Structure formats: C-alpha cells, structure tokens
Amino acid sequence: MNNIVLISAASILGFTACKGPAQKGAPAVPPTPVNIAEASVAPAVYYDKYPATVVALNQVELRSQVSGFITGIFFKEGEVVQKGKTLYEIDRRKYEAAYLQAQANVASARATFERAKKDDDRYQRLAEQDAVARQILDNAKATLETSRSQLAAAEANLSAVRTDLDYSLIKAPFTGRIGISQVKLGAQVSPGTTLLNTISSENPIGVDFVVTENDISRFAAMQGSKASDSTFRLQLSDGTEFVHAGKILAIDRGVDNQTGTIRVRIEFSNPDDRLKDGMSCVLRVLNEQSGERLIIPYKAITEQMGEYFVFIAKDSVAAQQKVHLGPRIGDRIVIMDGIQAGDKVITEGFQRLRDGGKIQIGIPAAPTGAPAKK
C-alpha cells in the first residue's frame, strides 16, 4: 500500500514540473535603441603628410681667392643684394701695383717683338737679293720667336694679376639675401679658407622631403604632368598654412641604399619671404584617391581581429557588414567597398548588437553628405 502512494506522489510532481514552464513562458527580448546615419557620396579631399625642410635653390659661401686685410664692407647684414654688387674689399694696393708692373712688362715685350719683327722683315728682303748671310737671317727669326714668346708670357702674367686685382673685390654672384658677416673690418683673410659670409636665393625656394622607393613612380608621374594648385600644400611649424602652391622641381638621381628612400624637391613661390632656408615644415601631398567617395561617421566602425565592420539598419533588424576603409577625414571615414550609398549605418547603440538583432531607431545622427576636407 505504501508503494502505491509513493508512485502516485511522484507522478503528480512530474506532471506539475512539465506543465509549469509552458504556462509561465520566456520573456521577449526588447529591441535595441540605435541611432543611424545615411551613407552618402561627397567630395573627399585628403592629403598624405611628409616631414620636410626648406632649402635655398641657390646658396654660396663667400670666400676670398686672395690674401690680405679687409678694408671695406659694403652691405647691410640680412639685406637682399643684387647680382654684381661689391660686398667686401681686400687691401688692393699690392695687387694694383702688380697690375701696373705687368702692364709695363707687356708694353716692353711688345716693343721688343715689334723691333724683332722689323729686323726679320728687313733681313728677309736682303736674303731674297742674296745680300745677307744666311746665319744672320736665322738669328733674326730666332730673335723674333723669342720676343713673341716673351710677349705672350707678359700678357699671361697681366691676365693673372688682373684676376687677382678683381678678386680683391668680392661681389654677389647672384641676387639673394646675405647673412651676418663672419669677418670684420681689418680682419686678415686667407685664400679659399676664410669664410666671409653666405648668400642664398629666396624666391623661388625649395622644400625637400623623402619618400620610399615604392612611391617613386607616383611622384615621377606628377613631375611629368601638370599638377594642380592643390597638389602640394605646406604647413609651417606654427600650424599656419602657406598660401602659395608648389610644383615638383627635381627627384634625386638615386635611392639611398641604407634607408630605401629617395629625396624629392618641391619649388614654391616665396614673394613674402615667409619661408627661410632650414625651416622645418609638413608637406601635404594630395592623395590620388581624392574625389567623390562614400563617407560615413568614423564612430560607426567596429574592429574584430583586424577586420572592420558596420551595422546596417534594415527595417527593424541590424545586419553586420564587412567594409574596407579608406583614409580618415576628421570625424568621418571613407569606405572603399562593402556598403552602398543610401545604406542606413548604425552609429550609436551597436555595442550590444549581434547580426540579425532587433533594433528600434531613435533620432538619426547628423548627415554625412557635407564636403569633407583635411
């Protein structure tokens, strides 16, 4: 009798356990509230940045070619000097004396040559009449050749001392800005060793930067074609933009074996003298992918194991979509492929979403159709 009672109790409990969940029911998961923004095509202008250095296109160190004492300085330090302007004078007295002596030597040698030439002509006529010994005629010719050589030597010496006299005045080789003088009045200078000053051109001016060998073809193509005014832009060290556009002036002859880079030089107009030789700056080069591009807010991007995804709102369901990213432009980013223009990208609330999850769209985020520039 006891066994029968136990079995009945167990049956009742089992029946109750099976029936309870069916009556209670699982609670439904509410949709996730999200915000969206529409993916749209807009002008995307972005630049690649390179550290760069301003360089003078023409720069010369002024050194004396003759020795002596500085007797004159004829410029104001830091000013623009014109080509041919006399900058320094080295004591000229001994060079002027040497020049005068050389002139006298040329005159003496020329007189000797003229006399020898007349003697040769005279003995030549007498020899035709057989009225002079052959030896005398030969001596006259030898004397003529000797005097000719002496005249040539005197003229060469005159040219040399004239050069030394000219070198005693140091002149600007081109129009440019001269620096602070390295010597003062009365200083003694030695030929080829004493640095007097440095002069450099300013307008136009160059900007040097380096690129990897993989980018050589890109910049070579820019050099061969006419670049637009927006291709090269310069940002100065204080953050301001240089208003004038640049163009490729030269690509170096070879790649550096140690760094695998090559130097490129951009030429800029510099009428206001804002760019100074040696300045550091950032060169911005227009990326060739600039143009009409698909743009979405950057905050819509999620990363999973090195791959990038966005959630697309499809009615009341979120669909996860893999995308390939382009350059980031401020708070937005270019999408190269993976979604279409007009897709509603979820920008807020996707952290709790899974592919196929239910969503409830709230207030849409700001549109992304405005032109983007960086």
Side-chain angles (χ1 to χ4, degrees), residues 254-270:
V255 176
D256 189 315
N257 291 332
Q258 295 182 346
T259 62
T261 59
I262 190 169
R263 185 171 59 160
V264 181
R265 177 167 293 177
I266 309 298
E267 179 184 302
F268 284 89
S269 296
N270 189 32

Side-chain angles (χ1 to χ4, degrees), residues 261-315:
T261 59
I262 190 169
R263 185 171 59 160
V264 181
R265 177 167 293 177
I266 309 298
E267 179 184 302
F268 284 89
S269 296
N270 189 32
D272 303 325
D273 192 31
R274 287 196 66 193
L275 300 183
K276 299 288 188 182
D277 180 48
M279 286 178 61
S280 297
C281 55
V282 175
L283 180 70
R284 301 195 304 157
V285 182
L286 184 66
N287 191 290
E288 55 192 2
Q289 293 182 345
S290 295
E292 297 292 323
R293 300 295 176 187
L294 188 66
I295 298 176
I296 65 171
Y298 180 75
K299 63 182 180 180
I301 302 296
T302 60
E303 181 183 1
Q304 297 177 12
M305 300 182 66
E307 295 182 329
Y308 298 94
F309 299 85
V310 296
F311 282 95
I312 304 298
K314 295 184 176 181
D315 295 329

Side-chain angles (χ1 to χ4, degrees), residues 70-109:
I70 299 293
T71 56
I73 299 177
F74 308 106
F75 63 89
K76 183 179 179 181
E77 294 173 325
E79 71 174 352
V80 175
V81 295
Q82 299 300 314
K83 179 179 179 180
K85 175 182 173 61
T86 300
L87 305 175
Y88 292 91
E89 179 188 64
I90 298 173
D91 192 354
R92 311 187 76 206
R93 290 173 295 180
K94 66 176 182 178
Y95 300 110
E96 289 173 341
Y99 180 69
L100 293 175
Q101 182 178 356
Q103 282 184 316
N105 292 338
V106 168
S108 176

Side-chain angles (χ1 to χ4, degrees), residues 29 41 49 86 88 156-157 174 181 248 329 337 344 352 370:
V29 178
V41 176
K49 297 182 179 180
T86 300
Y88 292 91
N157 181 63
F174 54 83
S181 181
I248 292 183
I329 308 173
D337 60 68
K344 294 178 174 56
R352 300 181 298 275

Side-chain angles (χ1 to χ4, degrees), residues 117-186:
K117 189 173 185 305
K118 291 178 180 179
D119 288 344
D120 180 69
D121 292 341
R122 185 182 304 112
Y123 290 128
Q124 185 68 36
R125 291 193 298 270
L126 292 174
E128 292 174 357
Q129 300 173 8
D130 200 20
V132 68
R134 184 68 184 180
Q135 184 179 2
I136 296 176
L137 178 62
D138 293 341
N139 289 341
K141 288 186 177 298
T143 301
L144 175 62
E145 293 304 320
T146 300
S147 61
R148 191 194 306 275
S149 299
Q150 291 173 343
L151 176 59
E155 289 175 340
N157 181 63
L158 177 63
S159 177
V161 296
R162 183 189 293 118
T163 299
D164 287 344
L165 181 60
D166 291 340
Y167 280 154
S168 66
L169 293 178
I170 299 172
K171 301 180 179 181
F174 54 83
T175 299
R177 189 173 298 276
I178 194 166
I180 297 175
S181 181
Q182 303 299 302
V183 295
K184 303 300 181 183
L185 280 174

Side-chain angles (χ1 to χ4, degrees), residues 14-36:
F15 176 78
T16 304
C18 293
K19 187 176 179 182
Q23 292 176 341
K24 185 176 181 181
V29 178
T32 302
V34 297
N35 283 348
I36 63 171

